[in-house]
Each structure stands twice: as structure tokens, then as C-alpha cells.
Amino acid sequence: MKKKTVFLIALATISITSCTLMPGSDQWKIRLAATNYVQGKLNAGETMDWGYIDRKLSREVNGRECKCAEVKYRIKSSHGESDSKTLYLIMSEHCDSVYNISESINYQNDTNK
């Protein structure tokens, strides 16, 4: 019985800490920033379907340690047509601040914006 309890506690701990959408995690902050950006640019009748974070890497940009993320998503029109898109984000080391969001890759952008 004791082994089963320890196993269940370990399994619960692993599940909680490995969740990519846990509020406060880097992945959650990236998803939130990307979603807010895209939803602000949607035309009437369009909706966003979240895809996934394709790449997330740490990189020095203009002397600052940053997280660079590549996000995949889909835009659906009111007519049922859909278009796959990619968004590139440059964020602070712990993803607390967004330095740049672009639809084209450019990890050399100025982070002082």
C-alpha cells in the first residue's frame, strides 16, 4: 500500500510539473502573447485555432538573454476556409515581456522597443 501511495504522488508531481499550459510557465506566457496578438488582428468573422509552439530557444539578442519562439496557428474565415500561419516572438528570458512579434523571422530585432 505504501509503494502505491508513493507511486501516485510521484506520478501526480510529474504530471503537474510537465504541463506546458500551466499558468505562469514559459509556454503559457508564449501562448497568451501570441493569442492576444493574433486576436487583435483578426478581421470580422475570422477565428483563431491554436496550433503549437514549434520551437523555443534561448538566444542572446542585442546583449540580452531572450526566448525566441516559433508559434504555429490557423486562421479560419467565416466561409470555412483556413490558412496556416507562423508567428515569431522574441521575449524576455522568463517570457515576462514581449520585445517583438512578427510574421517573419528576424531574431536580430532591437529589444529596446
Side-chain angles (χ1 to χ4, degrees):
M1 184 70 168
K2 197 172 192 175
K3 279 186 178 181
K4 187 175 182 179
T5 303
V6 171
F7 176 74
L8 290 175
I9 291 171
L11 185 61
T13 302
I14 290 170
S15 296
I16 290 171
T17 58
S18 67
C19 180
T20 60
L21 294 180
M22 177 181 281
S25 70
D26 288 353
Q27 291 86 355
W28 181 79
K29 292 173 188 175
I30 291 168
R31 181 177 176 151
L32 183 63
T35 301
N36 287 339
Y37 177 83
V38 172
Q39 287 179 343
K41 294 195 170 275
L42 290 176
N43 295 319
E46 291 181 330
T47 58
M48 174 194 179
D49 285 339
W50 176 258
Y52 54 94
I53 298 171
D54 194 31
R55 260 188 282 188
K56 181 184 84 169
L57 26 114
S58 293
R59 176 175 268 175
E60 188 174 306
V61 179
N62 294 334
R64 290 185 178 174
E65 190 65 31
C66 298
K67 287 272 171 59
C68 300
E70 184 175 320
V71 173
K72 303 289 185 178
Y73 64 98
R74 186 176 294 271
I75 299 292
K76 287 188 178 178
S77 71
S78 58
H79 301 83
E81 300 168 357
S82 69
D83 188 20
S84 295
K85 297 194 174 241
T86 303
L87 200 60
Y88 301 92
L89 293 88
I90 301 175
M91 302 181 76
S92 63
E93 182 178 7
H94 300 291
C95 299
D96 296 321
S97 301
V98 178
Y99 296 137
N100 191 301
I101 299 179
S102 175
E103 294 180 17
S104 61
I105 192 166
N106 185 356
Y107 290 143
Q108 299 307 316
N109 285 333
D110 185 9
T111 60
N112 295 321
K113 293 181 180 179

